[in-house]
Amino acid sequence: MMIKEIKVKSVLNKLKVQDDWFLVDYSVNPFMGCALNCVYCYIHGSKYGGEDTTTFQVKVNAPEVLYRQLKKRARRREYGFIGLGSSTDPYPPLEKDLQITRELLKIIYRFKFPVNVTTKSTLILRDLELLRKIDEKAILPPKLGNKLRHGVIVSFSFSTVDPVLAGIFEPGASTVEERLETMQKFKDEGFLVGANLMPILPFLSDSEEELDKMIKQMKDHGAEFILVGGMTLFGDKPSDCKVRYLDVLKEHFPELVPKLKNCSGILLHLLGLISINWLY
Ligand code: SF4
């Protein structure tokens, strides 16, 4: 994947209404595209992946732009959770040297905003102490202030707990075991942690038995909430997520291709939203 540096005018996106699932009012994505390259990822073929899906774009001026934008919001006391990594993982391997996500977190801390970080990478451990400071100091929006006692939510994403399947469909992510251990570590350190089981893999990780297994493993590793979602596939270009997913399926599970194609419509298959379980 090629890497390109870009400059942006805005990096803080304000949602029209608070997201009921992730509790966020804002989103921030330090990168355009995602270096973790999960086969099923909806950004391939959507505006979030950028025009050129072979290029990973780094928003080099994101920290200074966020500083400006958050300063304004803080002055007006428009506090709300910032979703970090809604359309890119904030901890790709490059982040180790770039430290853009880390700079963004420092600014989020500076202006006392709460944050929901979603990742499939163990690199988040590097920022544990910084996240702890945000957790303690963040000002929560009034709607959540008396229910949630945390300024940080740490969410780990899984589409399966089978290491072989994860290796096929999430080639750039930390292993399932590493993610589970990292979740446990954050829990032990006193954070609010949970799991996003999104997307569940049709015919591979969506049986009752598999789902029970996944939910048990999440619970055993400290998850205080679990969000479960289905897979959305679309597009007919080679770089679009539907074509990418079917190609990989053809290679590894050819018998599933006709089954998947029989699923209705453009949104291929699955459960939709099957469970939200917030345990405050
Ligand atoms: S980590 Fe998330 S954003 Fe990145 S490729 Fe995977 S699903 Fe997409």
Side-chain angles (χ1 to χ4, degrees):
M1 195 176 247
M2 277 169 55
I3 296 153
K4 189 172 152 192
E5 294 189 351
I6 56 167
K7 290 202 170 180
V8 289
K9 289 196 181 123
S10 170
V11 74
L12 182 72
N13 173 46
K14 172 87 172 80
L15 276 59
K16 286 198 183 91
V17 285
Q18 186 184 79
D19 185 301
D20 286 347
W21 276 49
F22 301 100
L23 305 181
V24 299
D25 286 294
Y26 302 93
S27 66
V28 168
N29 288 293
F31 313 107
M32 173 84 92
C34 183
L36 267 51
N37 212 16
C38 306
V39 174
Y40 48 71
C41 183
Y42 77 97
I43 69 169
H44 298 289
S46 81
K47 64 176 181 177
Y48 302 107
E51 294 286 301
D52 179 3
T53 50
T54 59
T55 305
F56 176 64
Q57 301 183 42
V58 180
K59 300 176 184 174
V60 280
N61 64 336
E64 61 182 87
V65 176
L66 184 67
Y67 186 95
R68 228 172 32 233
Q69 292 187 299
L70 271 193
K71 191 175 176 185
K72 250 190 224 162
R73 297 278 176 181
R75 205 182 291 139
R76 295 191 219 129
R77 299 195 65 77
E78 293 171 347
Y79 292 103
F81 267 90
I82 297 173
L84 189 58
S86 55
S87 61
T88 186
D89 195 294
Y91 290 101
L94 267 180
E95 166 59 18
K96 211 171 176 181
D97 297 324
L98 288 173
Q99 306 223 3
I100 289 202
T101 294
R102 185 167 174 80
E103 287 307 309
L104 296 178
L105 286 174
K106 283 183 192 167
I107 293 159
I108 288 169
Y109 172 61
R110 160 88 173 72
F111 290 109
K112 298 190 168 68
F113 272 72
V115 66
N116 182 343
V117 188
T118 302
T119 187
K120 286 191 177 101
S121 168
T122 57
L123 186 52
I124 189 175
L125 285 165
R126 178 198 66 189
D127 293 338
L128 191 145
E129 290 309 324
L130 180 52
L131 287 165
R132 192 198 306 282
K133 292 206 281 185
I134 299 174
D135 198 38
E136 287 163 3
K137 289 280 182 299
I139 298 171
L140 299 180
K143 242 169 109 179
L144 297 174
N146 44 17
K147 291 189 198 152
L148 204 64
R149 287 172 299 279
H150 288 273
V152 172
I153 302 169
V154 186
S155 309
F156 293 89
S157 302
F158 300 82
S159 62
T160 173
V161 285
D162 180 318
V164 177
L165 288 180
I168 294 171
F169 293 104
E170 301 165 343
S174 298
T175 65
V176 168
E177 205 184 333
E178 287 168 340
R179 273 178 263 169
L180 288 169
E181 280 169 5
T182 309
M183 183 158 71
Q184 183 70 64
K185 169 79 177 159
F186 272 89
K187 170 71 179 171
D188 294 346
E189 294 285 340
F191 285 89
L192 171 59
V193 300
N196 299 337
L197 308 185
M198 297 179 194
I200 297 292
L201 304 171
F203 310 111
L204 291 168
S205 63
D206 63 347
S207 66
E208 208 173 320
E209 196 189 347
E210 279 302 312
L211 287 168
D212 280 351
K213 197 160 86 187
M214 285 172 84
I215 289 167
K216 182 173 183 324
Q217 291 218 34
M218 301 306 141
K219 211 170 156 238
D220 289 350
H221 288 83
E224 288 171 84
F225 64 88
I226 295 174
L227 303 174
V228 184
M231 182 182 288
T232 303
L233 296 176
F234 54 86
D236 294 314
K237 293 201 293 280
S239 57
D240 291 345
C241 56
K242 186 167 104 182
V243 176
R244 280 165 50 97
Y245 191 77
L246 285 170
D247 282 350
V248 172
L249 214 56
K250 252 178 237 161
E251 188 185 336
H252 296 276
F253 303 97
E255 70 285 3
L256 295 184
V257 173
K259 282 174 95 173
L260 196 72
K261 281 186 171 168
N262 278 339
C263 292
S264 60
I266 300 175
L267 300 185
L268 280 172
H269 198 52
L270 201 67
L271 309 157
L273 319 175
I274 66 166
S275 137
I276 306 178
N277 187 15
W278 276 97
L279 308 173
Y280 288 114

